[in-house]
């Protein structure tokens, strides 16, 4: 054994001597050329090709590196087999999901379209760096992709595109939804952002939404077609956007519908407050700073700004009172500082044209995969230009609670399925629910107050529905009686004041134009 160690030590000394001799005799340039030659010879005889994806590309972050890292750490690679048992665990910013990734210098194999590839995570210490405007990490990180040479042409581009798309989907699913607001109007902060955001934690889903199930299926199918319709919108030459108008009485779940849409698609929400925006240019700036895969919401649009006074201006123009500064034509639909409905509270001058360009004009194409949602309690107050096809593609009536919606609320708040409540009670609820015209919010208030006692909750709900139905019936009876009374008064007034022709009272009444015509003929005959 001693002789073996002595021999090995002698060999190490000889190797060290030859290494020193080579470094002394052979210049560095020649050594580098010889190394490259050996690498080329190795590549010629090797059946694989290698691609490096570094974390830092120059001074900028390589987005492809982040995409590969996210893809390999996702459930999409669950079928892959790691050669080591050590993985790194991470949780991203604004994310509630813990994901795993490759540890330093570890490998992982993957399969794409029947082709096997191998990923290796390479981490090496970075050499001392010169002055840089951006400090670089102490370690140099990157992925090495190994592909068989015969497969690189048919796999490489499609595989990388697939990884990028999959990473975007994973990032959106893992990241918490954000709710943006423009409380500063159109002004920007120190980072150049006009929006402020908070995590969006609304639990509403289509499963818990109190709405007719068939109607919900139609909306979900429409949303799914929109999210998967990039090729369709590109082929038809349309901007990748869609508009929804949610209208109905207060308390019918319009805000819950928006939250369910965001949770269903995994989109962020931009809550646009029009009263905080002063000009059309600020409105365009806000639109340009919204991201793709988002829902832009304008709630209570009939109350946000005066978009209905275009009709008033037309009426004023026809009556001789055209708006100030405009002769013979109605002015733009806007609120100015002197508008009586605005009370001089701000200098909001957003026009209807500016809002239409925001939703359907050229500026609406500065992003992709966005949904515009308007809500209103009074659809009849909106300008027809806001309602036409192409701007609001789908009109969704959020009506009073129906019997299918009531069953959803009973399941949500009381955990009651169809067979858990007596059939007679369910029949009584079904008979009175449409007549009561109660909103889901009103019914939820009754259920949540008695959620610990199902029998009491259902009993009080039935009493509330019957009371509301009786109240509605009395209102209808009173209105019918008032209408009949008005009709009788009009008929009596018509009988008491018959029309006179030529000074004589006539029961049948004559045409006023004909009487005047006969009078003129008579005068002409006399003359």
């Amino acid at each position: 054994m001693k002789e073996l160690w002595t021999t090995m030590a002698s060999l190490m000394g000889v190797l060290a001597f030859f290494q020193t001799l080579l470094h002394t005799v052979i210049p560095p340039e020649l050594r580098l050329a010889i190394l490259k030659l050996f690498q080329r010879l190795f590549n010629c005889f090797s059946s694989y090709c290698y691609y490096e994806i570094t974390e830092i590309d120059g001074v900028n972050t390589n987005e492809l590196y982040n995409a590969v890292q996210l893809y390999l750490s996702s459930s999409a690679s669950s079928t892959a087999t790691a050669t080591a048992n050590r993985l790194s665990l991470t949780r991203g910013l604004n994310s509630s999901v813990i994901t795993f990734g490759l540890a330093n210098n570890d490998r992982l194999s993957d399969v794409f379209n029947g082709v096997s590839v191998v990923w290796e995570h390479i981490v090496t210490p970075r050499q001392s760096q010169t002055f840089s405007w951006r400090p670089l990490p102490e370690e140099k990180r990157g992925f090495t992709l190994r592909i068989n040479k015969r497969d690189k042409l048919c796999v490489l581009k499609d595989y990388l595109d697939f990884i990028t798309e999959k990473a975007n989907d994973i990032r959106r699913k893992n990241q918490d939804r954000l709710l943006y607001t423009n409380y500063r109007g159109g002004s920007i902060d120190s980072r150049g952002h006009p929006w402020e955001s908070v995590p969006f934690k609304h639990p509403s889903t289509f499963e818990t939404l109190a709405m007719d199930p068939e109607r919900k299926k139609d909306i979900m199918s429409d949303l799914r077609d929109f999210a998967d319709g990039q090729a369709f919108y590109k082929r038809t030459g349309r901007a990748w956007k869609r508009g929804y108008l949610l209208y109905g009485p207060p308390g019918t779940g319009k805000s819950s519908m928006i939250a369910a849409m965001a949770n269903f698609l995994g989109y962020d929400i931009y809550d646009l407050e029009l009263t905080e925006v002063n000009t059309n240019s600020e409105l365009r700036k806000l639109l340009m700073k919204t991201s793709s895969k988002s829902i832009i919401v304008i709630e209570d649009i009939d109350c946000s700004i005066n978009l209905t006074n275009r009709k008033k201006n037309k009426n004023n123009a026809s009556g001789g009172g055209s708006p100030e500064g405009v002769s013979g034509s109605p002015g733009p639909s806007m609120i100015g500082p002197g508008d009586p409905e605005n009370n001089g509270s701000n200098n909001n001058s957003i026009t209807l044209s500016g809002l239409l360009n925001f939703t359907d004009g050229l500026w609406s194409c500065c992003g992709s995969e966005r949904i515009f949602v308007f809500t209103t309690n009074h659809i009849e107050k909106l300008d027809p230009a806001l309602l036409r096809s192409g701007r609001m593609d789908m009109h969704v009536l959020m009506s009073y609670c129906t019997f299918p919606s009531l069953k959803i609320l009973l399941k949500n708040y009381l955990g009651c399925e169809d067979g858990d409540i007596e059939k007679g009670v369910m029949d009584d609820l079904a008979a009175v629910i449409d007549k009561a015209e109660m909103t889901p919010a009103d019914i939820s208030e009754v259920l949540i107050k008695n959620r610990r006692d199902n029998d009491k909750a259902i009993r009080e709900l039935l009493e509330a529905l019957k009371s509301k139905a009786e109240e509605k019936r009395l209102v209808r009876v009173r209105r019918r009686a008032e209408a009949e009374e008005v009709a009788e008064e009009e008929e009596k007034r018509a009988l008491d004041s018959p029309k006179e022709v030529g000074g004589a009272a006539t029961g049948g009444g004559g045409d006023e134009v004909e009487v005047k015509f006969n009078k003129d003929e008579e005068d002409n005959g006399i003359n």
Side-chain angles (χ1 to χ4, degrees):
M1 180 63 68
K2 183 177 180 180
E3 294 178 355
L4 178 61
W5 284 108
T6 303
T7 305
M8 291 183 62
S10 301
L11 289 176
M12 294 294 292
V14 172
L15 290 177
F17 171 76
F18 276 105
Q19 182 180 8
T20 305
L21 182 63
L22 289 176
H23 278 267
T24 304
V25 176
I26 302 176
E29 294 80 4
L30 182 58
R31 293 200 306 268
L32 182 60
I34 294 174
L35 181 60
K36 289 183 178 179
L37 179 61
F38 276 107
Q39 288 179 348
R40 290 185 179 181
L41 290 175
F42 175 78
N43 291 335
C44 290
F45 290 102
S46 175
S47 59
Y48 297 98
C49 54
Y50 299 84
Y51 299 92
E52 292 186 359
I53 302 175
T54 58
E55 181 184 16
I56 305 296
D57 183 15
V59 294
N60 299 318
T61 302
N62 189 353
E63 292 297 332
L64 185 57
Y65 173 87
N66 296 331
V68 171
Q69 186 179 38
L70 189 58
Y71 169 74
L72 295 179
S73 66
S74 68
S75 59
S77 61
S78 59
T79 57
T81 56
T83 58
N85 296 325
R86 186 173 61 183
L87 299 173
S88 62
L89 298 177
T90 57
R91 179 191 288 183
L93 183 65
N94 293 329
S95 176
S96 57
V97 179
I98 298 177
T99 57
F100 68 90
L102 287 179
N104 297 350
N105 303 317
D106 203 353
R107 290 187 178 186
L108 186 144
S109 61
D110 194 16
V111 178
F112 177 74
N113 291 341
V115 177
S116 297
V117 299
V118 176
W119 289 97
E120 185 176 3
H121 192 208
I122 305 297
V123 180
T124 56
R126 188 180 297 275
Q127 297 179 355
S128 58
Q129 56 181 330
T130 58
F131 174 77
S132 175
W133 291 105
R134 177 184 176 181
L136 298 177
E138 296 180 355
E139 295 179 333
K140 183 179 180 181
R141 300 182 181 88
F143 287 100
T144 299
L145 173 62
R146 191 186 73 181
I147 303 177
N148 199 301
K149 288 182 178 180
R150 66 174 181 271
D151 300 325
K152 67 175 184 179
L153 295 179
C154 60
V155 169
L156 183 61
K157 184 179 184 305
D158 294 339
Y159 185 44
L160 295 179
D161 291 342
F162 170 77
I163 288 176
T164 303
E165 182 179 355
K166 199 71 177 178
N168 291 333
D169 294 339
I170 296 167
R171 186 181 295 110
R172 189 172 67 251
K173 291 178 181 179
N174 291 348
Q175 190 175 25
D176 290 341
R177 306 283 79 75
L178 293 179
L179 175 62
Y180 293 86
T181 181
N182 62 314
Y183 76 94
R184 294 188 310 270
S187 59
I188 61 177
D189 59 9
S190 58
R191 299 170 297 169
H193 296 165
W195 298 94
E196 286 292 331
S197 64
V198 294
F200 182 69
K201 300 291 187 179
H202 202 295
S204 176
T205 63
F206 279 105
E207 183 179 357
T208 61
L209 189 64
M211 191 178 185
D212 184 78
E214 295 300 324
R215 186 59 171 160
K216 285 197 292 187
K217 288 181 181 179
D218 293 341
I219 297 174
M220 294 169 65
S221 178
D222 187 78
L223 291 171
R224 193 178 295 108
D225 291 341
F226 168 78
D228 300 334
Q230 182 178 11
F232 168 78
Y233 282 91
K234 185 176 181 180
R235 186 176 68 252
T236 56
R238 293 170 57 92
W240 194 6
K241 65 179 184 61
R242 193 152 181 82
Y244 288 81
L245 176 65
L246 309 182
Y247 66 98
T252 51
K254 292 184 284 294
S255 298
S256 297
M257 167 66 78
I258 296 172
M261 293 169 65
N263 290 327
F264 179 72
L265 295 175
Y267 287 4
D268 294 332
I269 295 180
Y270 289 86
D271 185 15
L272 177 59
E273 182 59 52
L274 288 180
T275 55
E276 295 292 332
V277 186
N278 295 324
T279 62
N280 291 336
S281 60
E282 289 185 359
L283 192 62
R284 286 193 295 268
K285 291 178 183 178
L286 289 169
L287 179 64
M288 293 172 63
K289 290 296 183 178
T290 58
S291 62
S292 299
K293 299 182 184 297
S294 60
I295 300 176
I296 301 174
V297 180
I298 302 179
E299 292 194 278
D300 297 324
I301 189 172
D302 56 305
C303 302
S304 296
I305 58 175
N306 189 14
L307 298 177
T308 59
N309 63 354
R310 186 171 69 163
K311 298 178 182 178
K312 298 178 185 178
N313 291 337
K314 288 182 178 179
N315 295 334
N316 292 337
S318 62
S322 59
E324 183 180 356
V326 181
S327 60
S329 63
S333 177
M334 67 170 67
I335 280 187
D339 195 310
E341 296 187 15
N342 192 37
N343 297 323
S345 59
N346 57 29
N347 294 325
N348 190 304
S349 60
I350 300 176
T351 62
L352 178 61
S353 174
L355 182 61
L356 296 181
N357 288 331
F358 177 83
T359 58
D360 193 36
L362 292 176
W363 288 101
S364 66
C365 305
C366 63
S368 62
E369 199 173 351
R370 291 186 301 194
I371 295 176
F372 293 89
V373 179
F374 291 172
T375 70
T376 179
N377 298 332
H378 306 282
I379 190 174
E380 69 278 359
K381 293 184 179 181
L382 298 184
D383 194 290
L386 285 169
L387 305 178
R388 76 164 178 83
S389 299
R391 289 179 180 134
M392 294 295 106
D393 303 284
M394 198 169 187
H395 295 189
V396 181
L397 172 61
M398 308 297 292
S399 62
Y400 293 107
C401 189
T402 60
F403 187 63
S405 304
L406 176 61
K407 292 194 291 186
I408 296 175
L409 292 176
L410 292 175
K411 180 180 178 181
N412 293 342
Y413 290 97
L414 304 181
C416 297
E417 301 289 347
D418 290 340
D420 296 339
I421 303 176
E422 296 180 3
K423 186 177 183 303
V425 177
M426 293 298 291
D427 292 340
D428 292 340
L429 292 173
V432 76
I433 184 67
D434 292 332
K435 300 176 183 178
E437 294 184 355
M438 289 182 67
T439 65
D442 295 333
I443 294 178
S444 299
E445 187 66 24
V446 177
L447 295 178
I448 198 171
K449 182 176 62 176
N450 304 286
R451 64 185 182 274
R452 295 182 180 87
D453 189 344
N454 290 2
D455 294 336
K456 182 180 178 182
I458 295 174
R459 185 171 61 253
E460 288 195 7
L461 175 61
L462 185 57
E463 293 176 358
L465 289 173
K466 290 181 178 179
S467 176
K468 197 71 173 180
E470 180 64 19
E471 180 182 339
K472 293 289 184 180
R473 188 187 68 82
L474 294 177
V475 170
R476 287 192 293 268
V477 170
R478 185 174 67 253
R479 288 179 178 176
R480 190 182 302 115
E482 291 176 354
E484 292 176 356
E485 183 179 352
V486 171
E488 290 178 359
E489 290 181 358
E490 291 180 353
E491 184 179 357
K492 183 177 180 181
R493 191 181 300 111
L495 293 175
D496 291 344
S497 56
K499 296 182 179 179
E500 296 182 358
V501 180
T506 59
D511 188 82
E512 206 169 7
V513 177
E514 292 180 356
V515 172
K516 187 176 184 302
F517 179 75
N518 295 335
K519 177 76 173 167
D520 293 341
E521 281 187 339
E522 186 177 338
D523 293 339
N524 291 335
I526 295 174
N527 294 333

